[in-house]
Amino acid sequence: MKIFVYSYREFDEAEFFQKFSKEYGVELGICKDAPTLENAHLAEGYEYLSIITTKIDAQLVERFHELGVKMISTRTIGFDHIDLQAAKKFGMSVSNVSYSPECVADYTLMLMLMAIRKMKRIMQRAEINDFSLPGIQGGELHNFTVGVLGTGRIGRAVIRDLSGFGCRIYAYDAYENEEVKKYAQYADLDTIYKECDLLTLHMPLEAENAHLLNAAAFAKMKDGVVIINTARGGLIDTKALIDALENEKVGAVGLDVIEDEFGMYYYDRKSDILSKKDLYILRGFPNVIVTPHMAFYTDQAVSDMVKNSLLSCILHSEGKEDPWKVF
C-alpha cells in the first residue's frame, strides 16, 4: 500500500505518520509543501493522496488524475477546499476524516466565555498595567439563551457542555437528533435569531448555507448578540458582520475561521503584506477575537487525523466500507 502525503509536518504529524504507516504496512511518499501543479509529479506512482486544508482546484485534480491518482483523502473534517465536481468528473474518490469532537467543543466554549467576559480587552489592558474596571464588565453564561446551528458530532458535544452551564439552548439542523432533545429545543432559524443571545456555528460549508449569517439574518437578531464560529468562514458574510459590529447589532464575536483564509493560516506571514482587509478590520475591534483556525489542534486530534486519513485510503484500496468516504 502506497500513499503520498503532501503538507507533511515534521513538528506534529511526523511521529503519527511513522507510527501508523508502520502499524498498517503503508509505504509513504512525502512532500513537506502543499500540492501544486509544479510538484504534482512527485505523486506519480501513487494511487492515494493525503492532503490538508490547501486548495485542490480543477486543474490540480485533472493533473493528479493524469498521474494515476484514484483518491484524495483530506486530513480534515471539512472538504470544501477540494473541487468535488472535478473529482467526480475524473472518477476520483474523496474522503475526509473524523476526530474527537471534544477539541472543537472545548475551544468553542472557551471562545464563548472569552467573548462574554470581554477577555480580549482585559488582557490588552493588563499588558500595559491598566487595571481599571470601566468597560470590562461581563456577562454570565447561564443567563444566555444559546442557539447551536448544526447538531453533528461537534454541535452535540457543544450542546452537552452548555447544558452544564444552565443555559437555555435552541438547536437547528436539517436532521434532528434524539440525543440533542435531552438538552435543547429544535427550532427554525427565525425563532433562533429572535430568541437567542448567542449563536454558535457547527455546520459544513455548502452552497445552500454559504453566508447563512448575512445582513438579513443579523437584522432579525437581538441587539448585542454574540456570534461564535469554529466551523467554516464562508458561513458568515464578513462585510455584513463588520457592519453589524459597527452599528452594535452584534455585541461580541469569536472567530476561529474567516472567509478566504487559504494560503494564510498555518504559515509564517509576519513580514508579508496580506491582502486581507476584512481580517485587519475585524482584529481592530475590541470585542472581536480572531484565532487562526486552531480549534481542532490538540495532540489527540492530530493523531486521529493522520490515522483516519491512512485508514480511509487502505479501506478504499481493499474495497471495504469507508466511513470517511465523501463519494
Side-chain angles (χ1 to χ4, degrees):
M1 180 68 194
K2 296 172 63 177
I3 301 172
F4 196 86
V5 181
Y6 281 100
S7 304
Y8 180 94
R9 298 198 302 244
E10 291 282 357
F11 60 88
D12 60 353
E13 293 182 325
E15 65 172 302
F16 299 115
F17 269 117
Q18 296 309 313
K19 173 186 175 182
F20 294 120
S21 63
K22 183 178 181 180
E23 182 176 336
Y24 299 130
V26 173
E27 177 186 332
L28 296 179
I30 292 171
C31 178
K32 295 180 182 179
D33 298 323
T36 64
L37 289 173
E38 289 70 32
N39 65 22
H41 68 279
L42 298 174
E44 188 170 6
Y46 293 82
E47 295 182 343
Y48 296 88
L49 301 185
S50 177
I51 66 161
I52 203 155
T53 46
T54 50
K55 275 284 188 185
I56 307 294
D57 60 19
Q59 276 188 296
L60 202 45
V61 171
E62 183 174 7
R63 179 62 179 136
F64 283 131
H65 170 69
E66 293 169 353
L67 292 166
V69 173
K70 292 183 177 179
M71 178 176 175
I72 299 174
S73 172
T74 178
R75 303 188 296 278
T76 55
I77 288 178
F79 46 84
D80 51 290
H81 49 290
I82 302 172
D83 190 320
L84 300 181
Q85 288 189 331
K88 288 178 181 177
K89 175 183 176 182
F90 293 106
M92 192 179 297
S93 294
V94 173
S95 73
N96 63 346
V97 296
S98 59
Y99 44 76
S100 166
E102 310 305 330
C103 54
V104 179
D106 289 354
Y107 203 94
T108 299
L109 267 292
M110 179 186 73
L111 285 179
M112 287 181 185
L113 292 167
M114 290 181 72
I116 68 173
R117 293 303 301 268
K118 305 185 179 179
M119 187 55 64
K120 177 180 178 178
R121 184 53 90 208
I122 290 170
M123 294 177 71
Q124 288 174 332
R125 287 188 185 183
E127 284 291 322
I128 58 172
N129 296 333
D130 178 356
F131 307 122
S132 60
L133 292 176
I136 55 172
Q137 183 174 311
E140 297 180 16
L141 194 49
H142 72 96
N143 289 325
F144 280 66
T145 299
V146 180
V148 180
L149 307 188
T151 58
R153 294 173 68 241
I154 293 171
R156 293 198 299 273
V158 169
I159 288 170
R160 179 205 63 212
D161 293 348
L162 279 172
S163 69
F165 284 87
C167 305
R168 184 181 184 189
I169 308 169
Y170 283 100
Y172 172 82
D173 200 294
Y175 305 97
E176 296 188 3
N177 181 279
E178 291 304 313
E179 179 186 346
V180 167
K181 294 178 182 179
K182 298 176 186 177
Y183 309 109
Q185 175 184 340
Y186 276 102
D188 59 37
L189 287 174
D190 281 350
T191 298
I192 288 174
Y193 294 156
K194 178 182 177 183
E195 298 292 333
C196 291
D197 307 295
L198 186 155
L199 298 179
T200 180
L201 295 166
H202 301 286
M203 298 173 163
L205 178 61
E206 299 171 344
E208 295 76 17
N209 63 11
H211 285 184
L212 178 71
L213 299 193
N214 53 27
F218 288 127
K220 297 176 182 178
M221 297 179 196
K222 290 185 176 183
D223 291 343
V225 66
V226 178
I227 305 293
I228 305 294
N229 189 5
T230 56
R232 284 293 181 266
L235 294 170
I236 299 178
D237 181 338
T238 306
K239 293 189 178 349
L241 175 62
I242 291 170
D243 289 343
L245 282 159
E246 288 179 340
N247 63 34
E248 299 185 11
K249 166 60 74 170
V250 171
V253 178
L255 300 176
D256 188 49
V257 289
I258 61 169
E259 290 188 275
D260 192 29
E261 67 184 45
F262 294 110
M264 177 177 63
Y265 286 165
Y266 314 140
Y267 298 96
D268 182 351
R269 305 294 302 274
K270 63 178 173 286
S271 298
D272 300 339
I273 303 299
L274 300 178
S275 57
K276 309 288 183 181
K277 293 180 181 178
D278 290 343
L279 173 62
Y280 291 121
I281 294 170
L282 286 167
R283 288 196 308 208
F285 287 104
N287 54 346
V288 176
I289 299 165
V290 183
T291 62
H293 205 150
M294 300 295 295
F296 74 96
Y297 198 53
T298 64
D299 47 5
Q300 181 65 56
V302 174
S303 175
D304 290 346
M305 291 160 69
V306 171
K307 178 181 179 179
N308 293 336
S309 182
L310 296 182
L311 278 176
S312 182
C313 295
I314 292 168
L315 289 170
H316 185 273
S317 72
E318 295 176 349
K320 297 178 180 178
E321 185 176 351
D322 179 2
W324 303 286
K325 186 176 180 180
V326 177
F327 59 80

